Amino acid sequence: MTELNCELEVIETPPSICAINFSAQRKILAAISDPKYRGFFYFCCCTGMRVCEALSIKRGDIDKKNGVIKIKLPDTKTKKHKRNVPYLPELFDDISLGKTFIFEDITDDGSKQYFTRLYNALELEFCRHSARHTFISVCAYLGVPTETIQEWAGHTNKKMTEGTYTHDLQKGTSPVLTYLRKLKAVHCK
């Protein structure tokens, strides 16, 4: 696998990125016919990882003992590509892990094409980076402290977390909300 450039994500994003609301999360998950992309979408919404970070995760980066996934990308600009993201074992229930990388059969370009087509077919104005906004917004919706969200997301300042990535969500349900509610209960005591 080649080294990925996280800054490329900004190019594909619409002028205003928002979180994926609960009903759209359910609609998207129901419409994803390929299990590898369903797992990838769910993983990104439940970890808040940038696409390039998720695609760079190796099996060895999953620390089962401590319940964290280690992100170890070479740093580009923020020094936050090296951090630990908490997880619960059920995150991997429907993901077929690759031999080396957990999403070995997904490429950056392939995922961009897949989700662009999917969102267009569903007439939704999202991009892959919307999953990161979703994670942060759902965590805020659940009352996870901003400093904790900032640490998990790898943001260098609170303003980025609160001002750019946190969007208001209306009440609802989704598998992402269910998972993050459990994650909060375990990791925010």
Side-chain angles (χ1 to χ4, degrees), residues 43-54:
F43 180 86
C44 290
C45 286
C46 291
T47 63
M49 288 187 199
R50 297 168 180 93
V51 170
C52 62
E53 292 171 340

Side-chain angles (χ1 to χ4, degrees), residues 33 54 120 124 166 184-185:
S33 58
N120 286 341
L124 297 171
T166 302
K184 177 192 177 207

Side-chain angles (χ1 to χ4, degrees), residues 32-46:
I32 299 174
S33 58
D34 189 329
K36 72 181 179 187
Y37 286 114
R38 185 180 308 110
F40 184 69
F41 173 80
Y42 183 72
F43 180 86
C44 290
C45 286
C46 291

Side-chain angles (χ1 to χ4, degrees), residues 83-102:
R83 66 184 189 282
N84 293 333
V85 175
Y87 80 95
L88 299 173
E90 67 192 65
L91 178 64
F92 296 103
D93 283 354
D94 295 324
I95 297 174
S96 179
L97 301 177
K99 290 180 182 176
T100 304
F101 293 92
I102 62 171

Side-chain angles (χ1 to χ4, degrees), residues 49-64:
M49 288 187 199
R50 297 168 180 93
V51 170
C52 62
E53 292 171 340
L55 291 174
S56 74
I57 299 299
K58 297 178 181 177
R59 287 180 75 116
D61 297 332
I62 302 168
D63 181 346
K64 293 178 183 179

Side-chain angles (χ1 to χ4, degrees), residues 6-133:
C6 282
E7 307 208 27
L8 291 177
E9 289 181 80
V10 177
I11 295 169
E12 73 177 271
T13 56
S16 176
I17 304 172
C18 60
I20 303 169
N21 64 43
F22 298 122
S23 63
Q25 290 170 31
R26 291 190 312 271
K27 185 176 183 179
I28 292 165
L29 283 165
I32 299 174
S33 58
D34 189 329
K36 72 181 179 187
Y37 286 114
R38 185 180 308 110
F40 184 69
F41 173 80
Y42 183 72
F43 180 86
C44 290
C45 286
C46 291
T47 63
M49 288 187 199
R50 297 168 180 93
V51 170
C52 62
E53 292 171 340
L55 291 174
S56 74
I57 299 299
K58 297 178 181 177
R59 287 180 75 116
D61 297 332
I62 302 168
D63 181 346
K64 293 178 183 179
K65 180 182 176 192
N66 295 305
V68 295
I69 301 168
K70 297 175 182 181
I71 298 174
K72 303 182 280 189
L73 279 178
D75 204 0
T76 54
K77 63 178 181 178
T78 66
K79 307 278 185 241
K80 294 295 185 173
H81 283 302
K82 294 181 181 177
R83 66 184 189 282
N84 293 333
V85 175
Y87 80 95
L88 299 173
E90 67 192 65
L91 178 64
F92 296 103
D93 283 354
D94 295 324
I95 297 174
S96 179
L97 301 177
K99 290 180 182 176
T100 304
F101 293 92
I102 62 171
F103 294 108
E104 217 155 53
D105 53 353
I106 297 177
T107 65
D108 183 60
D109 192 50
S111 69
K112 180 179 177 180
Q113 290 177 25
Y114 183 88
F115 286 102
T116 298
R117 282 192 307 267
L118 177 74
Y119 295 149
N120 286 341
L122 295 173
E123 297 180 354
L124 297 171
E125 292 189 31
F126 297 118
C127 64
R128 295 176 305 161
H129 200 65
S130 297
R132 185 164 162 77
H133 284 249

